[in-house]
Amino acid sequence: IQQHESSPHAAAITSVTWSEDGKRYATTSRDRTAKVFELEGDRLLVSYAMHERSVGGIAWLADGPVTADETGRLRSLPMEDANYVRATLDRLPAKLFRLYSIDNTLIVPSLPEFRSLQLKTESYEEGKDKEGKPKKKWRSWFEDRWS
């Protein structure tokens, strides 16, 4: 990673993670944002600014980054749209904590125990388009692996 002449965030960086292929990295900050950069050239690819509080954790799953903010909310963020959240989970302690991932499983250390979550996605049809073809939609959610 090249050294930035100025910080890519307006406040302290709280966490960093790398994509599985090692070509991108993501950072979180007390400025309520998460950002994804291309490793080669250090180019900003996407900036997520929808967090209500400081963002303390980030991990990379196959579908993109997942963040945890100070409110206790997890967010699965797609690389294609900085204004969209694929899935959320709100039942975590309201504090800053780190996230970890292994084999497309999210590990959330929320005292007194830690949780193992997977991001699940399924397609469904909702209505028809102008040509009468079914409109395909997607929904995603975090599933607790130990429940």
Side-chain angles (χ1 to χ4, degrees):
I1 297 177
Q2 299 172 357
Q3 182 175 347
H4 290 273
E5 289 183 22
S6 62
S7 175
H9 289 278
I13 293 174
T14 55
S15 190
V16 64
T17 192
W18 279 261
S19 63
E20 292 177 354
D21 62 9
K23 294 180 180 180
R24 293 164 288 175
Y25 69 97
T27 57
T28 61
S29 173
R30 290 195 174 274
D31 69 3
R32 302 178 182 187
T33 66
K35 298 178 185 252
V36 177
F37 298 87
E38 186 175 56
L39 188 59
E40 189 171 322
D42 231 16
R43 183 173 62 99
L44 177 65
L45 298 175
V46 63
S47 181
Y48 304 100
M50 77 284 291
H51 302 88
E52 290 92 13
R53 301 288 301 270
S54 296
V55 189
I58 191 162
W60 206 285
L61 298 180
D63 294 334
V66 175
T67 61
D69 70 22
E70 209 171 20
T71 66
R73 177 175 286 171
L74 285 180
R75 289 178 176 85
S76 172
L77 306 170
M79 286 295 300
E80 308 82 36
D81 187 348
N83 299 309
Y84 179 74
V85 177
R86 182 180 293 117
T88 62
L89 180 68
D90 293 322
R91 300 171 295 171
L92 299 172
K95 64 176 187 157
L96 289 178
F97 52 83
R98 302 267 189 252
L99 298 176
Y100 305 93
S101 61
I102 186 168
D103 297 331
N104 211 32
T105 298
L106 186 65
I107 306 298
V108 182
S110 58
L111 295 174
E113 73 280 341
F114 68 91
R115 296 175 70 181
S116 175
L117 304 169
Q118 285 193 317
L119 182 64
K120 300 288 187 170
T121 302
E122 70 181 10
S123 67
Y124 64 98
E125 293 179 4
E126 184 177 273
K128 299 191 184 253
D129 64 16
K130 293 178 182 178
E131 298 170 357
K133 296 179 183 174
K135 290 182 185 177
K136 195 171 201 176
K137 301 248 179 167
W138 298 89
R139 70 176 141 239
S140 298
W141 67 97
F142 289 103
E143 183 175 281
D144 201 323
R145 294 189 64 209
W146 294 335
S147 23

